[in-house]
Amino acid sequence: MDAAAGTAEASEQKPRKLISPPRLSESWRRRLPLLPALLIMIVLTQVPFVMSIYYSLTDWHVVPPGPRKFVGLDNYSHLFSDHFFGSAVWVSVQLAVIPVLGSLVLGTAFALLLDRKFIGRGLVRTLLITPFLLMPVVVGLIWKNQMFNDLYGVINWVVGKLGGTPVDFVARHPTMAIAVTLIWQWTPFMMLIMLAGLQSQPPDVLEAAKVDGATPWGIFRQLTLAHLRPYMELGILLGTIYLIQVYDLVAVMTGGGPGSTNVPYFVFQKSIGGGWEFGQASAYSIVVVVFSIIIATVSLRVLSRLLRGEETV
Amino acid sequence: MRGTRALSVSAALLAVVGVIATGCGGSDNTGQTSGGGGKSKGGSINVAIVDNPQMKDIAKLTPSLFTKRTGIKVNYTILDEGTLRQVTTRDVAAGGRQFDVAMIGPYEAPQFGKSGSLVDLTPMAQSDSAYRLGDIIPAVRNALSADGKMYAAPFYGESSFLMYRKDVLDKAGVKIPLHPTWDQVAAAARKVNTAKMAGICLRGKPGWGDLGASFTTVLNTFGGTWWSAKPDGSVDKAQVNTPAFRNALQFYVNLVHDAGEKDAANSSFNECLTQYKDSKVAMWYDATVAAGLLEASDSAVKGKNGYAFAPVEKTKAAGWLWTWALAIPKTSSKQDLAWQYISWATGPQYLKAAGTRIDGGWAALPPGTRKSTYEIPQYKKAAAAFAGPTLSAIAAAPISNPGTTKRPGLPGVQYVGIPQFQDVGNQCTQQFSAVIAGRTSVDSALGNCQDVASQVNS
C-alpha cells in the first residue's frame, strides 16, 4: 500500500508546487480526521514490526528461560548457513510456483468456458468459486483424508479399481500433495481475475477480426491472450504473495518434515512450535517480510498499470 | 474521474483489511467470554487436556459428577499431544495465563516446577484427606516431583509393553516369551505378517512424544543415546551419528517396512489402537494404557490378547514411564477451584464413580496411578488380563538408568530430560518419519538429525 501511495504522490508532485500556502492548510484540514486512524494503524502494524526487528538482533530463549542478550546480526549470519532454512525456502518456492501456474492455466480454461453463454451459467460459476470459500484447514483435511489417503481415499479407490497399487500420496510426495490441494483451492481466484479480463475485452475488435477471416485459435492467441497478459501478471503476483504465506495446509496435511516444511512452518517451529528461540524466529520472519515487500511492490506497479490501462480504453 | 476510481479501489482494499482485522479480534473476545461465563455459584476454570479416550470420558462425566456438586464449571480444551505441548509450554513456561489447569507429564513437570512456573501441589494434597496422597504409586509420584515437591497430580500412569493377538500367533505357531527380545519380536512379526493383517504396529508419526517415545526405548536398549553426558550431568556431544544409533534406526525402519502397519508414517497411539481393534495388526508395541481399551466391554478383540514386557536387546528393561497429570500454572488466579477439580479428577472417588458410567466399563478406567484402583473388585475382575503386567511394567521402567551409558539432564526413559529435547526430538522424528514413508534415506536423516542435535549446548 505504501508503494501505491508513493506513486500517487509522485504523479501529484508537479501540481502541488503551484499550490499556494493557504490551500495547503486547507488540504491538511481535510486530512485531519484521518490522522487518528493513521496513528492507530501505525501503532498496530509498525510498532510490532520494529520490535520484531529488535528481537531479531537478540538471543532470546523462552525454554530454557534465560535473559535476552543483544547479539547484533548473529541471527542473520546464522540464517545463511542453516541448510534447514535453505530447504524450507526451496519448498516455499515450489509451493508458490507450481500452484500459481497450475491454477492460472486451469483458471483461464474455466474462465474461457464461463465467458460463453449457456443455460445454468450462474450455477456453474457459483460451484466453481466454492473451493476458494472453504477454510484452508477444512480443505487440508478433506484432501488428506478423503482424497489422498491410501486406505479409504477416493483417488486410491480409483487407482485400485484400475488395477494399480495404492500410494500414500501425502507421506510419499508431500510437496506435490500440498501443491495439488493449493491448485484446487486457488483455481477459482485465477478464474475470477481472468473472467474480469475476458469480459472487459472490447467486442468490436473481436468482430472486426472475425470479419477479416481470422480463425478462432488465431483470435485467441493474438488478441485475447495479449489482452489478458496484464491480468495474468496480476494473478501471478497476488497469488504468489498469498501462497508464500501458506501455513495451514502444511500444518494439517503433513505437520512439517522434509519436503513440506516451508518458511512459515519453519518460523513456527523455531518459535512457539517447540524451538522457543524467538530471536532467531524473528530474524527469519524479517527476511520473509523483506521478500514479500519486494514482490508486493512489483505487483502494485502492475495493478496501477492495469488501472491506468483501463482509463485509456 | 481518475481520482474517484483510485478512491473506490483503496476503499475496497481498506474494507478487506478491516474485515480481516475484526476477524482476528473476534476470536480473542469469544475466548474471554467463555472463560468468564457460568459464574453461578462456584465459578469456572479452563482446563487443557490431551485427546486420549480416558480424558474424553472424564470430560463427558464432568458436568454430572463434578459441576453439579460443586457448581464449578469446567471449560475443556481437548488437543492432540503435539498441540497440547505447544499450548502448555506457551501458557505455563512463558506465562500465557490462558489455563487454570494444564495436562503435562514427567518431562515437563520437574522442569517447569524447578523454574517456578507451577504451583507445588504437595501442601494442598496433604491437607485434602479425600485425596489420599499416600495411595499414589511411588514411581509415578516421583516422576512428577522435583526436590520432594509434587508439581502435577497423575490422571493415569503407564509404561510401554507388547500387546499381541494370542489367537493369531497360536495359529502361526509363534510363541512370545514374557520377556522377549526385539529380535524375537521382529521374527514373529515377519512370520505372521499378511496382506490383510500387518505383523506389528509401531509409531511412525513425527513428534518427540509419538515416534520419538517408541523409538527412544528401542534406541536405549540397542545401546545408543541422543547425547553423551558430562560428569555434572549436562549435555556433552550429540551421538546421532554413532553406529549404535544407526543400528537402532535401521532396525526400527526395516521392521516397519517389512511387517509394519499401513500408513505407518501417520500412525501413533490412536491410529494403532484403531488398527489393532479392527484386526489389521497382530502385535502392537505401545503404552500399557491401551490394554484397558482392548479389554473394554465394547472392544472387538476383548479376551484375545497376550501381554509381554517391553522387548529388550542390551538392557534388562526397556519400558518407558509416562503419566498424564494435571498441574496448576502459577499464573492462574483460581488456584483453589483448580485444586478442587484436580482432587476430584485424579482422586479415588472418580475411579469408583466412573467404572459404571463410561462406555468401556471397568476395564477402561484410567490405570496406573493409585494402589487402591487395583483393589476395586470389579476392576480386578475386568482388568485381570493386564493389571498385573501394567503394574510390573511401571515398576520395572528404568527411569534413572534407561540405557548403557549415562544420560544428560533430568531422569527419563523415552525422552531426554533437557528442555531442548522437545525441539530436537520433533525435528529428528520428522526426518525418521520421512525414512519410514520411503522419502529419504537413513543416512541423510541421521546426518540432518546430527546437525540439529549438535546445536544443543549446555
Side-chain angles (χ1 to χ4, degrees):
Chain A
M1 227 193 264
D2 284 344
T7 50
E9 266 172 37
S11 53
E12 277 171 21
Q13 225 136 55
K14 272 181 204 160
R16 191 183 281 179
K17 275 181 190 163
L18 303 173
I19 294 168
S20 50
R23 289 207 44 197
L24 195 75
S25 70
E26 157 81 24
S27 67
W28 267 108
R29 213 173 326 152
R30 274 203 231 156
R31 283 176 199 160
L32 203 62
L34 287 174
L35 282 182
L38 184 69
L39 198 72
I40 288 172
M41 203 169 90
I42 289 174
V43 169
L44 286 181
T45 63
Q46 302 311 303
V47 172
F49 181 64
V50 171
M51 281 169 72
S52 305
I53 294 180
Y54 169 70
Y55 292 149
S56 75
L57 302 174
T58 62
D59 178 14
W60 182 15
H61 287 270
V62 181
V63 178
R68 194 158 60 212
K69 281 183 301 217
F70 189 80
V71 293
L73 293 172
D74 270 14
N75 287 330
Y76 290 92
S77 61
H78 178 259
L79 190 143
F80 294 103
S81 61
D82 186 344
H83 67 268
F84 293 106
F85 183 67
S87 50
V89 169
W90 173 231
V91 173
S92 271
V93 170
Q94 284 175 288
L95 285 186
V97 172
I98 302 171
V100 163
L101 294 182
S103 58
L104 185 69
V105 171
L106 281 177
T108 311
F110 285 130
L112 285 168
L113 289 176
L114 282 181
D115 197 34
R116 293 155 176 268
K117 282 204 172 74
F118 57 88
I119 300 163
R121 186 167 74 156
L123 182 73
V124 172
R125 193 164 48 202
T126 312
L127 286 177
L128 281 174
I129 293 168
T130 315
F132 197 58
L133 305 177
L134 292 181
M135 277 185 284
V137 172
V138 175
V139 172
L141 288 175
I142 290 176
W143 276 83
K144 180 189 178 181
N145 295 320
Q146 290 184 340
M147 302 300 286
F148 287 135
N149 190 289
D150 63 339
L151 292 177
Y152 34 82
V154 172
I155 297 177
N156 275 313
W157 178 77
V158 174
V159 168
K161 286 277 168 211
L162 295 176
T165 42
V167 185
D168 188 356
F169 290 104
V170 177
R172 292 285 310 198
H173 311 288
T175 321
M176 273 321 285
I178 297 173
V180 167
T181 312
L182 284 170
I183 290 176
W184 182 80
Q185 208 194 352
W186 282 85
T187 296
F189 174 81
M190 297 297 182
M191 184 189 80
L192 286 179
I193 292 182
M194 290 301 131
L195 198 59
L198 283 174
Q199 289 177 348
S200 72
Q201 204 176 9
D204 46 341
V205 177
L206 295 179
E207 225 161 276
K210 243 180 253 171
V211 170
D212 287 350
T215 59
W217 173 243
I219 294 177
F220 173 72
R221 212 166 50 93
Q222 295 187 325
L223 293 176
T224 310
L225 267 190
H227 173 79
L228 284 181
R229 222 196 83 182
Y231 292 89
M232 287 183 175
E233 285 173 5
L234 178 71
I236 289 172
L237 286 161
L238 286 181
T240 312
I241 292 175
Y242 281 114
L243 285 166
I244 52 173
Q245 302 172 15
V246 164
Y247 165 82
D248 352 37
L249 281 188
V250 177
V252 169
M253 290 180 70
T254 67
S260 74
T261 297
N262 62 353
V263 175
Y265 198 83
F266 186 77
V267 170
F268 158 76
Q269 279 198 322
K270 277 279 164 198
S271 54
I272 57 168
W276 304 103
E277 287 171 6
F278 287 154
Q280 257 179 35
S282 301
Y284 293 126
S285 52
I286 298 281
V287 171
V288 179
V289 168
V290 169
F291 277 109
S292 304
I293 288 177
I294 293 171
I295 299 176
T297 313
V298 176
S299 75
L300 284 162
R301 289 267 157 79
V302 172
L303 187 71
S304 60
R305 200 171 71 208
L306 205 65
L307 288 179
R308 257 207 308 278
E310 270 181 27
E311 296 303 318
T312 54
V313 167
Chain B
M1 176 71 179
R2 206 189 136 179
T4 48
R5 179 122 202 175
L7 200 70
S8 64
V9 168
S10 35
L13 277 175
L14 269 176
V16 170
V17 173
V19 167
I20 295 166
T22 27
C24 295
S27 64
D28 273 3
N29 288 341
T30 48
Q32 271 174 4
T33 40
S34 73
K39 205 170 177 158
S40 49
K41 45 179 176 172
S44 72
I45 52 171
N46 295 329
V47 177
I49 55 174
V50 74
D51 67 349
N52 288 355
Q54 288 87 350
M55 284 65 150
K56 289 181 190 160
D57 285 340
I58 199 173
K60 227 195 281 175
L61 292 178
T62 301
S64 60
L65 290 182
F66 180 69
T67 308
K68 222 175 181 181
R69 180 167 58 82
T70 59
I72 301 170
K73 190 170 175 286
V74 183
N75 304 313
Y76 284 105
T77 303
I78 304 180
L79 301 164
D80 69 274
E81 212 170 308
T83 316
L84 178 76
R85 291 221 162 83
Q86 287 152 23
V87 170
T88 49
T89 310
R90 193 175 65 216
D91 207 54
V92 177
R97 295 164 190 271
Q98 199 182 347
F99 294 106
D100 303 296
V101 176
M103 189 161 250
I104 56 174
Y107 172 72
E108 293 94 351
Q111 279 180 32
F112 293 171
K114 274 192 163 178
S115 70
S117 323
L118 294 177
V119 175
D120 174 14
L121 300 182
T122 332
M124 290 189 272
Q126 273 165 349
S127 59
D128 186 342
S129 60
Y131 185 68
R132 295 179 57 201
L133 181 62
D135 185 32
I136 295 176
I137 293 172
V140 173
R141 183 178 163 187
N142 281 343
L144 296 167
S145 305
D147 307 324
K149 294 172 180 165
M150 185 172 87
Y151 286 108
F155 178 71
Y156 74 57
E158 63 176 32
S159 180
S160 58
F161 63 6
L162 185 74
M163 297 157 268
Y164 56 91
R165 287 283 296 276
K166 274 190 298 195
D167 51 336
V168 176
L169 267 65
D170 282 350
K171 224 182 187 178
V174 177
K175 267 228 151 350
I176 296 284
L178 185 62
H179 290 270
T181 66
W182 270 113
D183 283 333
Q184 290 169 329
V185 171
R190 290 190 170 99
K191 192 162 181 203
V192 299
N193 185 54
T194 60
K196 277 198 173 159
M197 187 187 247
I200 189 165
C201 204
L202 289 171
R203 296 184 179 185
K205 189 181 185 176
W208 73 263
D210 295 293
L211 167 59
S214 292
F215 170 69
T216 303
T217 64
V218 176
L219 173 71
N220 289 336
T221 195
F222 269 68
T225 179
W226 288 86
W227 291 278
S228 57
K230 287 180 185 161
D232 65 348
S234 60
V235 172
D236 192 10
K237 286 199 177 67
Q239 300 289 316
V240 177
N241 58 1
T242 56
F245 201 109
R246 205 198 141 76
N247 285 344
L249 183 63
Q250 192 76 61
F251 170 84
Y252 197 93
V253 169
N254 286 351
L255 182 53
V256 174
H257 282 174
D258 293 350
E261 75 276 20
K262 284 225 169 85
D263 205 17
N266 288 318
S267 297
S268 191
F269 179 84
N270 285 329
E271 291 79 5
C272 281
L273 176 65
T274 310
Q275 295 207 25
Y276 190 99
K277 276 170 123 180
D278 285 351
S279 296
K280 296 250 169 69
V281 291
M283 295 196 276
W284 179 22
Y285 171 64
D286 214 303
T288 53
V289 71
L293 306 167
L294 301 183
E295 305 294 345
S297 48
D298 57 354
S299 161
V301 294
K302 186 183 169 196
K304 294 179 179 169
N305 313 293
Y307 302 94
F309 280 87
V312 289
E313 209 56 41
K314 287 185 176 154
T315 58
K316 282 213 171 101
W320 70 54
L321 183 67
W322 187 256
T323 155
W324 279 114
L326 298 170
I328 309 176
K330 273 249 172 81
T331 48
S332 165
S333 57
K334 299 168 183 167
Q335 296 179 6
D336 287 346
L337 302 187
W339 173 255
Q340 279 189 52
Y341 167 73
I342 292 180
S343 170
W344 167 75
T346 66
Q349 300 90 335
Y350 171 72
L351 292 165
K352 282 193 185 127
T356 52
R357 288 178 172 87
I358 54 181
D359 295 340
W362 286 98
L365 281 190
T369 56
R370 296 182 164 270
K371 296 174 222 159
S372 61
T373 310
Y374 295 84
E375 286 153 15
I376 303 173
Q378 298 95 319
Y379 184 73
K380 265 164 110 176
K381 196 171 154 226
F386 63 89
T390 299
L391 280 179
S392 9
I394 290 175
I399 177 123
S400 29
N401 186 22
T404 53
T405 54
K406 187 177 160 64
R407 301 313 202 235
L410 294 162
V413 181
Q414 76 279 30
Y415 53 86
V416 184
I418 59 168
Q420 298 92 334
F421 182 71
Q422 198 180 358
D423 187 31
V424 173
N426 284 344
Q427 291 196 49
C428 284
T429 49
Q430 284 179 356
Q431 300 283 336
F432 301 163
S433 181
V435 181
I436 289 174
R439 242 161 48 221
T440 172
S441 68
V442 168
D443 283 316
S444 107
L446 287 176
N448 285 334
C449 178
Q450 171 75 10
D451 287 355
V452 174
S454 301
Q455 286 170 14
V456 173
N457 39 24
S458 46

